[in-house]
Amino acid sequence: MSSIAETYTQAESDWKALESAQGPVFYVGAATCGRAAGAGKTIERLEQEIQSRGLSARVVETGCIGPCCLEPVMIVQTPGAPQVLYGGIGPEEATAVLERHGLGGEPCAEWALGTMDGSVWKGVGPFQDHPMMAGQVRHVLRNCGIIDPEKVEHYLARDGYRGFLRALEIGPDGILEEVKASNLRGRGGAGFPAWRKWEFCRSVTSETRYLICNADEGDPGAFMNRSVLESDPHAVLEGMLIAARALGATEGYIYCRAEYPLAIHRLEKALGQMRELGLLGKNIQGTDFSFEMKIKKGAGAFVCGEETALIASIEGRRGMPQPRPPFPAVSGLWGKPTVIHNVESLANLPQILVRGGAWFAQFGSESSKGTKTFALAGKVNRTGLIEVPLGTSLRHIIEVVGGGSPGGKSVKAVQTGGPSGGCVPADQLDLPVDYESLTAAGTIMGSGGMIVLDEDNCMVDIAKYFLSFTQEESCGKCTPCRVGTRAMHAVLDRISKGLGTLEDINTLEEVAMTVKNGSLCGLGQTAPNPVLTTLRYFRHEYEAHILRKECTALACSALVEYQIDETRCTGCGACRRACPVGAISGESKKTHVIDPKTCIHCGACLNRCPEAFAAVYRQSGTVLRRETPKKKSAAAAPEESAS
Amino acid sequence: MKLSINGIEVVAQSGDTVLDAATRKGLSIQHLCTHKALKPFGACRMCLVEIDGMRGYPPSCTTPAAEGMVVRTNTEALRKLQRNILGLTMLEHPSACLVCGKRARCEEYRSKPEKAGRTTGCHTCNNMKHCSVRTMTEDVGLERLPVPPLYHERPLERSNPFIDRDLNLCILCGLCVRICKKHQGEGVIDFVQRGSHTHIGEAFGHTLKEAGCTFCGSCVDACPTGTLSDRFAKWYGNPDHVSATTCAFCGEGCAVLTDSVEGKLLALHSAESFPICVVGRFAAAELLNSAERFLVPKIRVGKNLREVTRDAAVAAVAEQLGNYRGSSFAFVCDTFSTLEDRRVFEQFTREVMQSPNFVQVTVDAKGAGQATLPEGVKAAVLTGALLSPEALRGLDYVVLIDFLPSAVLEVAHAVFPASVFAEVSGSFSDGSGTFRPLRRISDAPGQSLPDWQTVGLWAEAMGAPQLTFAASEEITAQLAIETQARVARNEAPAPSQDITKCPATFRGHALATFVPGLREFDPDAPKAVQVVASTSEDGPFRILSKEEIVPNTFKLVIHAPAVAKRAKAGQFCIAMADETSERVPYTLCDWDAEAGTITLVVLEKGQSSRKLILLPEGGRLAHVTGPLGIPFEVKNYGRVALAGGCYGVGAVGPVARALRAAGNHVTVAVEARSHYLTYLSKQLADASDEFIQTTIDGSTGFKGHAVDAIEANLKAGGHYDLVVAIGCPFMMMLVSELTKPLNIPTQVSLNPIMLDGTGMCGACRVTVGDSVKFACVDGPFFDAHLVDWEEVRDRRQAYSHEEVQSVGLSAPVTVIEKPVDQHHCVAH
């Protein structure tokens, strides 16, 4: 084991060598998301090409830089030129980029997203000027997609573990002061100030304290923590060292869901590297600070993201929340004082220690400091992982960073906070994204899920979707949550089928408030939010379902009728043949008719009707919609949910 | 520390929760999931309170009391929240009876719960009399449910010995899980799955036995809802006495509390902080209530033991024993006998029989002990199966004082029925030699007497009155001993933790012989089978299809061509599941003369209907007799209303169809407790001009009973020329009460206990007006206004004791299928 100083010297020179390599370097985003989009094939192709052509080029697997909509992404570096980020690079594009840019030294403008250093190079402008990057400030994601997450040297070369080394110097009280100055608040969703949690825990007399990293990211559509763990695992682990030092914790657990195998693999690898570097174990860096870390795989229960359930799960018990007090900070894992931090909270700590709490606090709003990552998804042109200073408006995130809704449709609402959050309507998009504002609007910050909804999304359907999730994921322990979510789901289901009554709206509100006020843990207390916010902002949609049997978004299949326009139908029979239940009748070359009693609303007829005729249309109540057939899948069912 | 609860100053002790502090002061806060022996859990959310400075509504059961705390438990907001939470709780528990407007009248008419398979309401719930949720709905004032009940449709679990589990009643308070963990270490049950699928169960779908359950019964005792029930005791009703005594089945001498009703021992419960074992908790009561108990003294005449009067038996024994005074006599007992008994036995042996041969078998932990007879013995008295028949065969005279049959009967010359355990009082010496009190709690059957009394009678007849006592206490006084109940122990009694350490015998009898549930733990013992189903591929009385149409209600289509051929609306048949089952009348709900099939709707109530519904498709009934009864008189009455409830819903159809065909305007109103119990709605709607489905809880259709729907129609100006009601007596009585003052002719289909169904036995007699009628041949339809409803009810309960006994066997309810040889089928 060489000294840390020597390692830094070596790491920095290696990094420089990579940046100034003689041959081209291809950095391919290969986190789970990139791989799902085909990055594996891109890498394979590049390696083949390099080998068959005998090139002195390199391929580096990095994590995720963020733009899901543009995956697979790749940064190309050639000597003497700025790095250029490309998007949508499949195997064919990879070969082209290799030839034209890697070997030919000319950028491929059609796929180029921008230069990484802010310069303009042969007509390619800076990536930071890309509208997607407008207003983004990347602290947590600063290494994501830039470094090889499996090489600790890359991390070290970019200030890695310098925060922790400083933490060792300034000691627990110094760390606490720095974090207090930063006013970092919990990124898991509740926004409890980190330093207060620490003080609470430190005030309890105990020989043993535990630190837990909550990596049980479970919100549907949320992937912020996965990205960080896969792209920059050391940042989280360094954060744990810093927090552990401040708390006097001797043992740490990373509770990561088993559905994140790549994250677990990279964490395991990173722990091994830390041990080699003397950053883990007894007397770390020759100090009296000793710390061990273990990875505990979660088995997929959403509720295990709740602190007390998570603790129960680590202890080998069923993941069921327990009432507080006692708070985990007083009596947590194995009955000892325990602090639990979200991945992102921990990933912020290294930079706070390197650059100081005051630096951190200059970003964000009055009460919510720093930046926040969001998984931008749903009906938005540019989906992806983004990071913006807290206080940024929803409008900026959706309209500028996300580029608005596709197909020129208008944004109806944005759902934040996952199943625990709520929907903010389009007319409130100027709301700044901070803990207090979102709470006031009836939703929560949550861990960073942000789902954009457009006119095709029915708010009753959205509420039903989230309730179907929470009623399945409730641990079943306390009555209001277990039964109340099921009861709300039953009422929503009734309304979505046109069987509701106006009384049902009161029932929904009553049950929602019972679940909110009566439930044991955060899951139950927030589970009614999707119902309460949609009732608050979109009551008219509920009323339309009830009074007019009308789903304006044409999303509730029971309320949507498929019909054939007799003025357009030529009797070609395509729809009749496509119908899986034989609901369509009609003689050849005569107008066809759909029997509404037999129809199962699958949409096969709509998709099969030749574009030239476009005779099939959908109708719900007074809403009638003509649309061109979907090309992609012949029998695409109407969308059931937001995910 | 002091805190304020509703403005009242309350002094709390260190470690108290807010709930503890309130309880200490006598302030009541609702709670379901708390238990004195368990740590708070915080799941039921009924004990929520408001506390100044705390966010939301903290649960009082888990919130530690603190100095200066200001607590409110009765604000309007809290009461509403509590009502709403209870409303949610009741969505997962049969709740119609709790929000029923006729509840008081119903419970007046049928004061005891009636047995059933799956429970769907209070009056068929074994837990009716001590149900926490039931009392809570009254206290909280729950009148309606937020949404229709969310019934889980879970099967009734009867595959375990001793314990029935109906998860449809479970509110997931977790008491069973937690008490099991406390009493059995890791515990054998836990919450399984999550969300709305959460339920109590064993890992990997194991049975309780496979999961390592010791059947200590702690979970059954903790269950507040009737989900877990003691199969033997469940239908006997609420105990009228709870008494303290000692369990005398092994040397542990556990202090117990007994439940008894009308002098019948129902169950033992631990009176200590540790559990008792399966023998104490479950087997003891079943053993004492065994149908095989000796009832009268018997004397051998030739090859047979013949019943005689006690006096005759005593005289015979006194005369015979008089011939064996001296060492040719031996008295053999074991240490299960009370000290008082043994004192009398010994005195009898030494003083009356002048013999040194008083043999006491010391029983080991398993209850077994080996006796040997001294040389030269020619006559002996035994207090149980303590010697083999071979060891006794050479004797001239053997007297047995015992309570259950054994091989000793083969050689016994006289048998006296004995009172045992909870039927006697006295002193019991436990394994440590400490004397424990035994109290007389239940009545022994027949002419059973305590052993000391039986022996005293012999002595008196042999001229030795000094062994005659008025009460066992007189003997206790002579013994000069003091007894004390067990108060504390450091660890759980071993048998409660390990079923192999439980006593296996009592007075020489293997317990498993008389307690079929115990055979489950002996791999060699033949298992007790409750239903043997004959199956065949053709032949009469086969079940062609079976379907549980709604919980606890089955539709059976049976091959019975002779019945189908002659059936008319309103008639019934008598079905026997097997050759030993009751003959039960069932209304013909449908038939197909051509196909030779009949359709019955069977509600599981007791052993006979259980046997019937447990028969598999292809299973063969022992017999179906019918059609029986006078068909409904079909003519044009004008406007007719038919009311149906329970199994009667199925019976309404043929009558409705026939009346409609005869030109009547037919209104059919059928009732169900809740939406998940409605059935045949479509068929009945098709068979009527007006169809009204009512539910007691209003979860679908008209809210109320069928009679309410008819009343509403009448109030709205409707008119009926005839009303017909088919259902339970209570439902028919209500219809009768509605129409009587209005002078609307009303017919009801009476359903008393029947035997032959042909007017011979008179079992089905009912009083209608001034005359006695037989429902089987004069009915089933009678003028409702002339029926004596109290009598109908009481006669239906005539055999309730025997009925309960027959469903109370502790063995798992299992069905064995046995193909029958076609040639032996009775042609019909």
Side-chain angles (χ1 to χ4, degrees):
Chain A
M1 188 173 75
S2 50
S3 81
I4 193 92
E6 286 169 33
T7 316
Y8 272 115
T9 313
Q10 186 62 41
E12 277 155 14
S13 75
D14 284 358
W15 181 251
K16 277 214 178 73
L18 179 67
E19 281 188 322
S20 54
Q22 287 308 301
V25 184
F26 303 94
Y27 302 83
V28 184
T32 301
C33 42
R35 288 172 186 222
K41 289 206 171 98
T42 304
I43 292 168
E44 204 178 299
R45 173 66 69 90
L46 284 170
E47 281 171 348
Q48 270 171 16
E49 297 282 4
I50 291 167
Q51 206 183 2
S52 64
R53 295 169 196 238
L55 302 176
S56 65
R58 290 178 63 185
V59 178
V60 177
E61 281 188 36
T62 65
C64 171
I65 205 164
C68 299
C69 53
L70 302 166
E71 296 274 12
V73 296
M74 172 166 86
I75 294 170
V76 180
Q77 173 195 304
T78 47
Q83 296 181 336
V84 175
L85 176 68
Y86 289 100
I89 306 299
E92 297 309 314
E93 292 82 3
T95 302
V97 172
L98 178 132
E99 284 172 356
R100 286 158 56 194
H101 184 168
L103 302 178
E106 291 300 319
C108 306
E110 63 269 51
W111 303 307
L113 299 172
T115 60
M116 296 301 287
D117 66 352
S119 64
V120 179
W121 179 68
K122 299 190 177 180
V124 178
F127 177 50
Q128 69 197 47
D129 289 352
H130 191 284
M132 177 160 193
M133 296 307 290
Q136 285 212 47
V137 174
R138 296 168 74 92
H139 293 160
V140 174
L141 305 178
R142 67 188 193 95
N143 287 329
C144 295
I146 309 292
I147 64 167
D148 181 341
E150 299 199 10
K151 287 204 162 56
V152 67
E153 297 78 11
H154 286 194
Y155 182 66
L156 289 171
R158 289 173 60 87
D159 282 349
Y161 290 104
R162 290 207 189 270
F164 170 60
L165 293 179
R166 175 155 180 260
L168 284 181
E169 268 169 41
I170 61 177
D173 292 341
I175 305 170
L176 186 74
E177 282 314 307
E178 205 67 90
V179 173
K180 203 169 180 173
S182 78
N183 201 14
L184 171 69
R185 295 172 66 174
R187 297 299 196 237
F192 195 76
W195 64 271
R196 296 238 325 251
K197 223 182 223 185
W198 292 3
E199 275 196 341
F200 201 18
C201 179
R202 278 159 47 118
S203 70
V204 182
T205 318
S206 175
E207 294 225 332
T208 314
R209 282 173 229 278
Y210 293 103
L211 172 69
I212 299 173
C213 167
N214 184 350
D216 192 48
E217 186 173 49
D219 288 1
F223 48 86
M224 305 74 56
N225 296 346
R226 178 183 56 72
S227 265
V228 173
L229 291 169
E230 288 179 355
S231 310
D232 196 13
H234 282 288
V236 181
L237 298 176
E238 185 183 353
M240 283 192 76
L241 284 180
I242 293 165
R245 181 61 179 152
L247 291 166
T250 49
E251 223 177 303
Y253 284 86
I254 304 155
Y255 189 88
C256 185
R257 58 196 312 224
E259 294 93 327
Y260 284 177
L262 186 62
I264 291 168
H265 165 77
R266 288 189 172 158
L267 282 168
E268 277 168 353
K269 191 148 190 174
L271 287 176
Q273 291 163 343
M274 285 174 77
R275 204 174 293 281
E276 275 178 28
L277 290 172
L279 291 167
L280 197 62
K282 285 217 177 309
N283 302 103
I284 293 171
Q285 293 300 315
T287 65
D288 63 349
F289 175 54
S290 300
F291 189 62
E292 281 296 343
M293 274 193 263
K294 284 185 193 139
I295 298 169
K296 169 81 189 175
K297 290 182 216 169
F302 178 67
V303 72
C304 285
E306 197 279 341
E307 293 190 345
T308 56
L310 187 153
I311 287 171
S313 177
I314 293 180
E315 289 177 358
R317 293 182 288 122
R318 179 181 161 90
M320 286 205 301
Q322 285 173 4
R324 319 168 205 216
F327 289 91
V330 177
S331 172
L333 187 62
W334 317 114
K336 303 292 181 199
T338 303
V339 162
I340 301 171
H341 279 307
N342 168 266
V343 168
E344 189 176 338
S345 308
L346 291 165
N348 267 306
L349 290 175
Q351 287 291 301
I352 291 173
L353 267 289
V354 169
R355 303 195 187 198
W359 163 82
F360 182 87
Q362 65 184 330
F363 300 94
S365 69
E366 189 55 40
S367 64
S368 307
K369 299 297 184 196
T371 60
K372 178 80 195 76
T373 60
F374 290 99
L376 191 58
K379 303 292 179 58
V380 62
N381 275 312
R382 285 187 289 272
T383 56
L385 181 63
I386 63 161
E387 182 173 356
V388 291
L390 285 164
T392 305
S393 76
L394 282 168
R395 186 178 304 286
H396 178 85
I397 294 174
I398 293 162
E399 294 183 357
V400 180
V401 179
S405 276
K409 290 186 173 160
S410 56
V411 171
K412 186 192 270 185
V414 57
Q415 209 278 352
T416 68
S420 306
C423 296
V424 180
D427 61 16
Q428 292 198 24
L429 286 188
D430 290 321
L431 201 71
V433 178
D434 60 49
Y435 294 97
E436 282 70 23
S437 305
L438 288 175
T439 305
T443 179
I444 61 164
M445 172 75 79
S447 58
M450 189 175 279
I451 298 168
V452 181
L453 309 169
D454 73 3
E455 59 200 56
D456 288 345
N457 291 108
C458 163
M459 301 315 281
V460 177
D461 189 52
I462 291 292
K464 186 175 133 187
Y465 167 74
F466 280 110
L467 263 296
S468 79
F469 180 86
T470 35
Q471 68 137 0
E472 289 288 325
E473 291 295 340
S474 160
C475 79
K477 177 175 176 175
C478 81
T479 309
C481 175
R482 180 186 72 249
V483 191
T485 53
R486 190 163 162 232
M488 282 189 280
H489 184 261
V491 177
L492 289 165
D493 189 54
R494 203 156 68 204
I495 294 174
S496 75
K497 289 182 172 147
L499 305 171
T501 62
L502 283 179
E503 179 59 28
D504 280 343
I505 295 184
N506 296 335
T507 303
L508 263 185
E509 270 172 342
E510 187 95 10
V511 175
M513 289 315 291
T514 306
V515 177
K516 197 179 177 77
N517 289 325
S519 292
L520 191 159
C521 81
L523 192 161
Q525 287 159 9
T526 57
N529 283 347
V531 172
L532 288 170
T533 51
T534 49
L535 275 175
R536 177 167 158 189
Y537 299 119
F538 300 94
R539 184 177 285 257
H540 55 277
E541 288 201 22
Y542 283 83
E543 288 167 352
H545 282 70
I546 292 166
L547 298 173
R548 300 197 300 277
K549 313 294 173 209
E550 177 180 295
C551 175
T552 27
L554 296 163
C556 295
S557 64
L559 297 184
V560 177
E561 283 203 355
Y562 283 75
Q563 291 178 0
I564 296 173
D565 184 343
E566 55 187 61
T567 64
R568 294 189 180 199
C569 180
T570 61
C572 73
C575 57
R576 176 164 42 80
R577 289 187 292 276
C579 180
V581 291
I584 303 176
S585 57
E587 287 173 34
S588 182
K589 303 207 171 136
K590 286 194 178 148
T591 306
H592 282 40
V593 182
I594 302 173
D595 174 16
K597 277 189 185 148
T598 318
C599 176
I600 56 165
H601 310 98
C602 71
C605 50
L606 176 65
N607 290 315
R608 200 58 67 83
C609 182
E611 214 175 328
F613 311 136
V616 181
Y617 63 92
R618 295 190 291 160
Q619 186 170 9
S620 178
T622 57
V623 181
L624 185 150
R625 191 178 300 172
R626 296 184 183 282
E627 52 219 310
T628 46
K630 281 178 196 156
K631 285 270 162 52
K632 257 187 178 170
S633 56
E639 277 166 50
E640 285 282 352
S641 64
S643 69
Chain B
M1 65 194 131
K2 285 178 185 165
L3 56 155
S4 146
I5 303 181
N6 300 336
I8 299 163
E9 188 182 277
V10 172
V11 181
Q13 294 181 4
S14 161
D16 270 4
T17 62
V18 172
L19 179 63
D20 293 334
T23 310
R24 216 179 274 291
K25 183 76 181 180
L27 300 169
S28 106
I29 299 178
Q30 297 290 347
H31 54 94
L32 276 172
C33 70
T34 49
H35 188 285
K36 58 184 187 317
L38 296 169
K39 282 188 209 151
F41 193 51
C44 77
R45 317 305 286 174
M46 288 305 296
C47 72
L48 300 184
V49 294
E50 289 174 10
I51 298 175
D52 279 359
M54 289 180 85
R55 215 158 37 98
Y57 302 91
S60 59
C61 70
T62 62
T63 307
E67 179 65 42
M69 218 174 218
V70 178
V71 182
R72 284 173 302 278
T73 72
N74 56 1
T75 64
E76 189 41 50
L78 267 176
R79 276 209 292 269
K80 182 176 169 193
L81 182 59
Q82 215 171 40
R83 236 184 350 258
N84 287 345
I85 291 172
L86 188 62
L88 292 175
T89 309
M90 297 315 292
L91 291 179
E92 289 190 327
H93 183 87
S95 48
C97 293
L98 300 174
V99 294
C100 172
K102 296 191 164 53
R103 179 172 162 185
R105 187 75 212 285
C106 169
E107 284 167 14
E108 181 197 332
Y109 185 72
R110 34 191 181 200
S111 57
K112 273 171 80 173
E114 292 174 10
K115 57 196 185 321
R118 276 211 262 176
T119 294
T120 57
C122 292
H123 102 261
T124 52
C125 182
N126 69 86
N127 203 50
M128 176 184 180
K129 296 288 181 186
H130 31 113
C131 178
S132 307
V133 283
R134 194 174 139 89
T135 40
M136 196 170 286
T137 54
E138 287 163 10
D139 296 346
V140 172
L142 184 75
E143 281 160 1
R144 56 179 285 274
L145 300 173
V147 300
L150 303 166
Y151 192 75
H152 279 289
E153 291 281 356
R154 294 193 171 113
L156 174 60
E157 297 170 43
R158 299 195 270 214
S159 53
N160 290 299
F162 301 105
I163 297 173
D164 278 345
R165 185 162 66 187
D166 184 351
L167 290 175
N168 300 300
L169 305 181
C170 181
I171 56 163
L172 289 170
C173 65
L175 287 175
C176 54
V177 171
R178 290 180 288 144
I179 200 86
C180 186
K181 282 207 168 80
K182 182 183 165 76
H183 281 173
Q184 299 293 342
E186 270 307 294
V188 301
I189 46 174
D190 209 329
F191 294 89
V192 179
Q193 296 189 335
R194 60 176 182 261
S196 54
H197 308 292
T198 313
H199 63 273
I200 304 298
E202 302 77 25
F204 315 118
H206 285 165
T207 63
L208 279 175
K209 197 185 94 191
E210 288 162 350
C213 177
T214 64
F215 293 86
C216 71
S218 299
C219 54
V220 178
D221 294 344
C223 179
T225 62
T227 304
L228 296 168
S229 55
D230 173 343
R231 186 174 301 136
F232 168 76
K234 66 194 281 190
W235 296 116
Y236 281 106
N238 211 29
D240 52 20
H241 281 88
V242 175
S243 324
T245 186
T246 305
C247 178
F249 284 84
C250 78
E252 288 286 344
C254 296
V256 291
L257 293 170
T258 62
D259 285 347
S260 59
V261 64
E262 294 168 13
K264 189 175 188 69
L265 183 70
L266 296 183
L268 269 55
H269 307 278
S270 176
E272 306 176 46
S273 53
F274 292 102
I276 56 174
C277 73
V278 61
V279 170
R281 174 64 184 82
F282 293 107
E286 196 178 2
L287 187 76
L288 262 61
N289 288 293
S290 171
E292 297 189 56
R293 286 287 298 266
F294 292 164
L295 301 175
V296 288
K298 289 181 180 177
I299 294 291
R300 181 166 296 279
V301 180
K303 281 187 175 175
N304 302 317
L305 284 166
R306 199 167 284 172
E307 291 183 4
V308 292
T309 63
R310 185 187 286 139
D311 289 348
V314 168
V317 167
E319 188 195 329
Q320 284 293 331
L321 289 184
N323 300 328
Y324 298 93
R325 286 188 214 260
S327 57
S328 62
F329 173 80
F331 200 113
V332 184
C333 69
D334 67 14
T335 47
F336 280 127
S337 290
T338 63
L339 293 172
E340 288 76 2
D341 285 335
R342 287 191 266 155
R343 165 81 166 194
V344 171
F345 299 161
E346 187 171 6
Q347 278 184 305
F348 178 77
T349 310
R350 295 192 200 289
E351 295 168 18
V352 182
M353 296 303 293
Q354 289 147 15
S355 164
N357 301 328
F358 176 54
V359 182
Q360 288 190 76
V361 182
T362 308
V363 293
D364 64 16
K366 301 286 289 174
Q370 205 57 46
T372 43
L373 280 180
E375 284 288 313
V377 168
K378 286 288 160 201
V381 176
L382 271 78
T383 61
L386 303 174
L387 283 162
S388 67
E390 289 67 40
L392 296 164
R393 227 177 277 281
L395 270 58
D396 296 343
Y397 198 68
V398 175
V399 186
L400 178 64
I401 314 175
D402 205 353
F403 72 126
L404 285 165
S406 68
V408 178
L409 285 178
E410 295 168 19
V411 294
H413 295 88
V415 181
F416 287 80
S419 304
V420 294
F421 179 49
E423 295 154 2
V424 300
S425 51
S427 314
F428 173 74
S429 172
D430 76 6
S432 67
T434 315
F435 304 130
R436 306 286 182 200
L438 264 183
R439 297 214 170 78
R440 181 166 181 271
I441 287 148
S442 56
D443 301 332
Q447 297 178 28
S448 306
L449 285 180
D451 295 356
W452 58 265
Q453 219 172 332
T454 300
V455 174
L457 289 173
W458 303 341
E460 195 179 15
M462 292 172 80
Q466 73 271 24
L467 293 186
T468 305
F469 302 93
S472 67
E473 285 72 15
E474 288 180 13
I475 316 171
T476 319
Q478 280 194 5
L479 284 167
I481 54 165
E482 295 227 344
T483 59
Q484 59 178 90
R486 229 184 215 288
V487 279
R489 47 168 105 223
N490 298 323
E491 56 182 20
S496 76
Q497 304 296 299
D498 180 353
I499 211 144
T500 63
K501 295 195 171 130
C502 288
T505 66
F506 181 68
R507 286 173 73 133
H509 299 282
L511 295 173
T513 311
F514 304 100
V515 182
L518 288 174
R519 286 180 230 165
E520 291 298 302
F521 306 103
D522 180 354
D524 302 325
K527 300 292 171 281
V529 175
Q530 298 210 18
V531 178
V532 178
S534 305
T535 57
S536 66
E537 285 174 11
D538 50 22
F541 317 140
R542 267 174 308 125
I543 295 183
L544 302 176
S545 74
K546 179 178 85 167
E547 184 196 352
E548 187 172 14
I549 35 179
V550 291
N552 207 46
T553 305
F554 295 76
K555 188 172 104 176
L556 303 182
V557 178
I558 298 165
H559 183 62
V563 184
K565 202 164 133 190
R566 302 179 188 90
K568 291 208 163 60
Q571 286 188 298
F572 64 94
C573 66
I574 285 184
M576 288 176 77
D578 62 32
E579 299 200 340
T580 61
S581 70
E582 258 181 293
R583 297 169 56 84
V584 184
Y586 293 101
T587 304
L588 296 165
C589 297
D590 205 352
W591 55 89
D592 183 335
E594 218 163 280
T597 61
I598 56 169
T599 303
L600 309 181
V601 169
V602 179
L603 206 67
E604 186 191 339
K605 294 288 281 179
Q607 183 72 351
S608 300
S609 52
R610 175 188 294 180
K611 279 181 178 174
L612 202 53
I613 58 108
L614 286 177
L615 287 179
E617 288 184 357
R620 219 171 58 100
L621 276 67
H623 208 271
V624 180
T625 313
L628 298 169
I630 303 170
F632 190 84
E633 191 185 355
V634 179
K635 61 178 187 186
N636 194 339
Y637 297 90
R639 294 177 64 83
V640 183
L642 292 174
C646 271
Y647 52 86
V649 172
V652 163
V655 180
R657 276 189 288 272
L659 284 173
R660 199 151 172 243
N664 293 283
H665 178 278
V666 176
T667 298
V668 169
V670 292
E671 64 185 33
R673 283 174 180 160
S674 191
H675 67 97
Y676 60 90
L677 291 167
T678 63
Y679 67 99
L680 293 183
S681 309
K682 197 186 168 307
Q683 288 91 324
L684 291 173
D686 290 345
S688 55
D689 296 290
E690 183 191 18
F691 174 69
I692 308 164
Q693 174 70 61
T694 81
T695 49
I696 311 288
D697 62 4
S699 52
T700 188
F702 182 96
K703 184 180 188 312
H705 290 67
V707 65
D708 300 324
I710 293 174
E711 186 175 15
N713 272 4
L714 289 170
K715 278 196 176 142
H719 158 80
Y720 293 114
D721 299 299
L722 176 71
V723 173
V724 184
I726 309 178
C728 67
F730 178 67
M731 173 262 178
M732 295 192 287
M733 178 180 79
L734 293 182
V735 172
S736 176
E737 283 175 2
L738 168 72
T739 59
K740 198 170 179 177
L742 301 170
N743 286 320
I744 304 174
T746 301
Q747 295 273 311
V748 287
S749 173
L750 294 187
N751 43 10
I753 292 168
M754 283 188 196
L755 282 181
D756 61 282
T758 57
M760 289 194 291
C761 72
C764 65
R765 75 173 185 278
V766 288
T767 308
V768 180
D770 295 332
S771 53
V772 171
K773 300 279 187 189
F774 288 176
C776 65
V777 289
D778 301 327
F781 291 95
F782 294 102
D783 181 343
H785 302 155
L786 300 176
V787 170
D788 179 344
W789 292 105
E790 309 269 303
E791 187 201 52
V792 168
R793 173 196 63 193
D794 294 344
R795 286 190 60 82
R796 276 164 62 90
Q797 290 168 358
Y799 298 98
S800 60
H801 201 86
E802 288 76 4
E803 291 170 19
V804 166
Q805 178 110 8
S806 71
V807 292
L809 279 185
S810 57
V813 180
T814 44
V815 184
I816 296 280
E817 294 185 23
K818 212 171 74 182
V820 290
D821 184 353
Q822 288 307 307
H823 302 293
H824 292 247
C825 285
V826 185
H828 194 80

